[in-house]
Amino acid sequence: MVTEQAVHPHQEESACCSSGETGRKSHHSEQTKNSLINRLNRIEGQVRGIKGMIEKDVYCDDILNQIASVQSALNGVGKLLLEHHMKSCVIDRIQEGDTEVLSELLATMNKLMK
């Protein structure tokens, strides 16, 4: 008999999504979760900084550069989350025979690339 660990060696460290009573949920490793939260906390601070710049009538070009920086940081969070999603959730669901995950993934990637 093959154990779950042998079939999914990445599951314990980077398991992502699973179905529960209330729908699918993410189950990231503590390291991944902390990395995502730290990045989002920095982004949140950047957004508050932009708000302060607008309140202080800072030169528009400087504000626009900060907005570009926030957008880049959000893209980085999205890339990291997408990578973990593909390496765990998507693989797991395909191995379970759920090919609908590919359509879901393509729709999500199209939204991210807009």
Side-chain angles (χ1 to χ4, degrees), residues 31-43:
Q31 180 181 3
T32 299
K33 187 186 265 187
N34 288 337
S35 177
L36 291 168
I37 290 170
N38 287 337
R39 287 171 179 242
L40 290 169
N41 285 339
R42 283 194 301 271
I43 292 166

Side-chain angles (χ1 to χ4, degrees), residues 63-77:
I63 297 170
L64 291 168
N65 283 319
Q66 287 301 311
I67 290 171
S69 177
V70 168
Q71 288 172 329
S72 178
L74 276 173
N75 286 339
V77 170

Side-chain angles (χ1 to χ4, degrees), residues 92-105:
D92 290 345
R93 287 179 60 191
I94 288 172
Q95 288 175 341
E96 293 169 359
D98 180 3
T99 56
E100 180 62 29
V101 70
L102 295 175
S103 296
E104 178 185 284
L105 178 62

Side-chain angles (χ1 to χ4, degrees), residues 1-83:
M1 179 176 203
V2 178
T3 66
E4 192 70 14
Q5 185 65 24
V7 174
H8 304 289
H10 63 275
Q11 192 120 23
E12 183 177 313
E13 184 170 338
S14 63
C16 183
C17 304
S18 66
S19 296
E21 291 178 17
T22 59
R24 289 191 302 260
K25 290 190 174 207
S26 294
H27 300 286
H28 302 286
S29 69
E30 283 303 310
Q31 180 181 3
T32 299
K33 187 186 265 187
N34 288 337
S35 177
L36 291 168
I37 290 170
N38 287 337
R39 287 171 179 242
L40 290 169
N41 285 339
R42 283 194 301 271
I43 292 166
E44 184 178 20
Q46 286 178 293
V47 171
R48 280 194 305 270
I50 291 169
K51 181 180 175 188
M53 291 171 78
I54 291 171
E55 291 170 344
K56 294 175 185 172
D57 295 321
V58 172
Y59 184 59
C60 295
D61 191 59
D62 294 335
I63 297 170
L64 291 168
N65 283 319
Q66 287 301 311
I67 290 171
S69 177
V70 168
Q71 288 172 329
S72 178
L74 276 173
N75 286 339
V77 170
K79 287 176 189 176
L80 181 63
L81 192 55
L82 180 61
E83 177 184 344

